Amino acid sequence: MRDERRLIGQLQGQGLLSDLDVYFADILLQKSDQPSELLALAAAMASRATNEGHVCFDLNEMADRPLNGLDGQVIASVPSLNDWSVQLHQSGVVGTPGEHQPLILDASGRLYLHRYWEYEHRLGFLLDERAARQASNVDEAVLQTSLKQLFPNTSDEIDWQKQAAATAVLRRLSVISGGPGTGKTTTVMRLLALLRQQPGGEALRFALAAPTGKAAARLQETIQQSHDSHLAPMGSLPELASTLHRLLGVRHGSTGFVHNRDNPLALDVLVLDEASMVPVALMAKLLEALPDSARLILLGDKDQLASVEAGAVLGDICSGYRGPTPHFAEQLQRTTGQSPPPDSSDPRALADSVVVLKKSYRFDSASPIGRLASAVNTGNFKQAWELLEEGGAASQIRRIPVNDDTAKLAAGRYAKIFEMIEKGAAPSEIFASLNDSRVLCALHQGPDGVIAINRRIEAELRSRGYITGDSRWFQGRPVLVTRNSYGLGLYNGDIGITLPNPQAGGEISVVFPMADGSFRWIAPARLPEHQTVFAMTVHKSQGSEFNEVLLQLPARDNPLLTRELLYTAITRARSRFLISTEQEVFRALVHRQLRRSSGLAEVLWQ
């Protein structure tokens, strides 16, 4: 056994494998009929891949080439894909798709932990099955009339919101992807109204959900604040949103949910926002829990960061879309008066479920932020860097040299919050100021990571006299909740501010805004896991918007820095985007795309 562990032991010693990866490999070595170094390596890499967000480990990335350590020295030579695959299949713990073995190796060289192959296989089947079915009992004449009322656009340009709304009525599955400002929420409000107008629409059971508590609260708040005179005659619409976990029903101590294939959800229409954040395992369990007759409407931005956990489901779903089938294009033309050009290459049924919103109502073609986001999203480094260099102090976008202290700049933004507290401003005014500007970090650890930046901002505020005393519960401390607490009604991503509670004689508490406009005061000792949030990671910012964003990039490149991370950070800004970076690090981000190893796109489109 010692010889078989030599290679993974070296990789673990250099920090390239975790204790968990090695432990998993050890278990398979003990179970194997023919244990080997290459089995241990494959098992450990499959474990590491899922922890890094991949659904599988692609053997092609390592096969038939030398394996180097951190010092560049060759540790081993990995055989060809065919030879490696043969040895794995002879181990007795690696099976082919459909077999019940700890590891599953498919014909393309993708190696899965069995449960992740099962999640991907089930999800692909359920999405394909739902996409293949049109909705029943749709009155096209009513739909045509309602569409004219809700989307009165007379332009010759395709109204993508109208296309998305019609698709959601006509199909059991609809996937609506669009960047910030493309009107996803407006589209949802109107398509729900269209469904109310259909025969039996008043009896439909709706549900609104999102992957995190913060995203659910924001969806709920946005819908409650939406006002559209076109919707008045359409009947009542849902306003309450929940997390996916709450919707499915958490079973403590179990990875399963109350609602599943044997106990489906009692609903007819589910709208899932921020779908890009949903991992493959959770999406598979959701699809299983949906009744066959229900409509599923997925909303999100396919170009944003993928889920923290394994999978890039929304990106995989949208990856093969080139236009609707000719048959569905005719139906869209009949009901909406317009249709995207059909895909003439005999596309899969999923093509009739996908709509990409292309017009931004927040950023016009001349908007510096919109142009920067577009340049980054298309990998155009030259244009993106020129936009940053052209920006001046009064511009919407500006580059800050890395030798400038961004903590001092950020502290100047937060100083006004402390001044407002001193003057006795209401919580609503303080939160408005807090959400006006936010520092985002690309990484959690390191000298330019979120932990270090938060400490530097706090130290700067202390040096200016805004924070006094040794208590970490100082007035004005912004707090980010990092774990859901259903009992308190607080969720991962919620942000509160530490203030004297007038309802408790001025005792220090953390106040959180609620979706209905009220505020909830929580004693610090009762809070779930949390952290200071002068700055937050780009991942945590998903689903949020700020008037001004200051993005702190590290001084050196890092494999975790990707185009999707940069695009997500830029599109959090409504009015102004500042970035602390040097040219080479920025170039690396624009050119490096997030690649999640997965077979889902192939299952869905090929």
Side-chain angles (χ1 to χ4, degrees):
M1 185 69 71
R2 183 177 301 171
D3 290 341
E4 288 83 6
R5 293 189 79 261
R6 181 191 64 84
L7 182 53
I8 60 173
Q10 285 183 271
L11 295 174
Q12 182 186 26
Q14 296 192 29
L16 297 174
L17 292 175
S18 70
D19 293 344
L20 179 62
D21 301 332
V22 172
Y23 176 72
F24 177 71
D26 282 339
I27 290 176
L28 292 198
L29 287 174
Q30 293 170 19
K31 291 179 176 294
S32 173
D33 298 332
Q34 296 185 29
S36 66
E37 271 193 323
L38 288 174
L39 170 63
L41 175 64
M45 293 303 296
S47 171
R48 189 181 87 157
T50 56
N51 291 327
E52 292 180 343
H54 304 281
V55 182
C56 56
F57 169 58
D58 191 344
L59 299 185
N60 293 282
E61 295 180 1
M62 196 174 284
D64 205 18
R65 67 190 67 183
L67 177 61
N68 298 325
L70 289 178
D71 57 3
Q73 296 296 313
V74 177
I75 299 175
S77 294
V78 182
S80 68
L81 176 63
N82 181 68
D83 291 346
W84 196 1
S85 298
V86 168
Q87 190 170 142
L88 291 178
H89 282 305
Q90 292 173 345
S91 70
V93 292
V94 179
T96 57
E99 295 183 339
H100 193 77
Q101 292 287 5
L103 293 173
I104 300 297
L105 178 61
D106 72 11
S108 298
R110 288 184 286 256
L111 184 68
Y112 296 82
L113 305 185
H114 184 274
R115 68 179 183 277
Y116 280 99
W117 177 85
E118 183 69 21
Y119 288 142
E120 184 178 277
H121 174 74
R122 282 157 53 196
L123 178 57
F125 172 78
L126 291 167
L127 284 170
D128 200 45
E129 184 182 50
R130 191 171 292 273
R133 294 199 304 269
Q134 289 204 21
S136 58
N137 301 322
V138 174
D139 189 321
E140 285 196 15
V142 171
L143 176 59
Q144 190 175 11
T145 300
S146 299
L147 283 168
K148 288 179 180 178
Q149 180 181 355
L150 290 173
F151 298 91
N153 182 24
T154 58
S155 170
D156 291 334
E157 292 184 4
I158 291 180
D159 187 336
W160 294 105
Q161 292 185 7
K162 188 176 186 179
Q163 298 294 308
T167 298
V169 175
L170 294 168
R171 313 297 302 183
R172 293 287 183 204
L173 172 68
S174 55
V175 182
I176 304 172
S177 175
T182 52
K184 293 188 291 292
T185 304
T186 300
T187 303
V188 166
M189 293 295 291
R190 296 187 181 189
L191 71 84
L192 294 180
L194 291 171
L195 290 171
R196 282 288 192 218
Q197 286 291 88
Q198 285 294 306
E202 285 302 319
L204 289 175
R205 298 164 297 178
F206 292 95
L208 306 174
T212 68
K214 179 66 175 178
R218 189 169 181 276
L219 172 64
Q220 180 173 309
E221 181 182 3
T222 302
I223 287 179
Q224 289 176 346
Q225 291 176 351
S226 295
H227 178 74
D228 191 328
S229 59
H230 293 295
L231 302 182
M234 295 294 181
S236 61
L237 297 175
E239 291 187 348
L240 299 179
S242 71
T243 63
L244 269 182
H245 286 82
R246 172 169 279 189
L247 177 75
L248 292 171
V250 174
R251 281 181 171 162
H252 296 289
S254 170
T255 59
F257 292 97
V258 172
H259 292 289
N260 50 41
R261 180 172 48 196
D262 299 322
N263 181 31
L265 292 158
L267 54 82
D268 303 298
V269 181
L270 173 61
V271 177
L272 174 59
D273 196 16
E274 298 293 348
S276 64
M277 299 170 66
V278 182
V280 64
L282 185 55
M283 191 69 86
K285 293 172 184 179
L286 172 66
L287 266 291
E288 281 206 327
L290 273 181
D292 290 341
S293 59
R295 285 178 173 86
L296 174 62
I297 302 162
L298 301 179
L299 300 177
D301 184 347
K302 63 181 177 61
D303 298 316
Q304 275 193 33
L305 283 167
S307 59
V308 175
E309 298 177 51
V313 176
L314 186 65
D316 285 340
I317 291 174
C318 296
S319 63
Y321 176 69
R322 302 291 182 270
T325 63
H327 174 76
F328 191 57
E330 290 177 8
Q331 192 174 22
L332 287 174
Q333 183 68 42
R334 194 166 60 242
T335 53
T336 70
Q338 299 173 316
S339 172
D343 184 353
S344 59
S345 62
D346 191 25
R348 299 286 294 268
L350 183 60
D352 293 339
S353 294
V354 178
V355 180
V356 179
L357 304 180
K358 300 180 180 180
K359 180 178 179 180
S360 175
Y361 296 89
R362 183 192 305 170
F363 304 126
D364 60 32
S365 59
S367 162
I369 294 178
R371 290 169 62 201
L372 179 63
S374 177
V376 167
N377 200 26
T378 56
N380 191 333
F381 162 74
K382 183 175 182 293
Q383 181 185 6
W385 188 254
E386 287 175 353
L387 285 166
L388 287 181
E389 292 293 270
E390 290 170 4
S395 175
Q396 284 189 11
I397 56 177
R398 180 159 67 96
R399 184 177 75 87
I400 303 169
V402 291
N403 55 359
D404 286 7
D405 193 341
T406 53
K408 290 184 177 181
L409 179 61
R413 303 290 199 268
Y414 286 114
K416 61 182 179 182
I417 295 174
F418 289 86
E419 293 167 359
M420 292 174 69
I421 294 171
E422 187 68 26
K423 295 176 181 177
S428 57
E429 298 175 293
I430 296 172
F431 273 103
S433 181
L434 177 67
N435 292 326
D436 186 64
S437 179
R438 185 59 47 83
V439 178
L440 301 183
C441 297
L443 303 174
H444 194 73
Q445 303 288 345
D448 295 309
V450 71
I451 295 175
I453 295 296
N454 271 316
R455 288 174 179 164
R456 282 161 51 190
I457 294 173
E458 181 177 332
E460 181 64 25
L461 289 167
R462 287 186 181 276
S463 72
R464 299 186 189 189
Y466 290 108
I467 303 174
T468 58
D470 297 327
S471 174
R472 67 191 185 101
W473 290 108
F474 52 83
Q475 290 188 44
R477 179 191 177 192
V479 173
L480 173 73
V481 174
T482 57
R483 183 180 291 273
N484 292 341
S485 173
Y486 292 107
L488 292 175
L490 297 178
Y491 306 100
N492 184 4
D494 283 351
I495 292 177
I497 301 178
T498 308
L499 295 173
N501 184 357
Q503 304 168 6
E507 182 178 340
I508 285 293
S509 298
V510 182
V511 59
F512 293 88
M514 298 291 105
D516 61 2
S518 64
F519 293 91
R520 177 172 295 169
W521 299 80
I522 307 291
R526 297 183 63 207
L527 286 178
E529 291 181 22
H530 57 273
Q531 62 190 44
T532 301
V533 68
F534 290 116
M536 66 197 305
T537 62
V538 177
H539 278 90
K540 289 288 187 182
S541 75
Q542 290 188 92
S544 299
E545 295 175 356
F546 311 98
N547 284 330
E548 178 186 85
V549 165
L550 194 168
L551 175 62
Q552 176 71 62
L553 292 180
R556 294 183 178 180
D557 186 25
N558 185 297
L560 297 176
L561 305 180
T562 64
R563 178 188 304 176
E564 289 79 8
L565 182 142
L566 182 56
Y567 169 81
T568 301
I570 294 168
T571 54
R572 298 312 91 205
R574 295 192 198 98
S575 305
R576 198 158 186 244
F577 177 74
L578 313 178
I579 180 171
S580 175
T581 186
E582 292 295 350
Q583 187 176 35
E584 289 311 306
V585 173
F586 187 82
R587 186 199 308 272
L589 264 78
V590 173
H591 288 160
R592 182 186 294 120
Q593 284 189 275
L594 177 68
R595 298 293 186 189
R596 288 281 176 91
S597 294
S598 162
L600 182 60
E602 183 175 303
V603 170
L604 293 173
W605 292 104
Q606 296 179 24

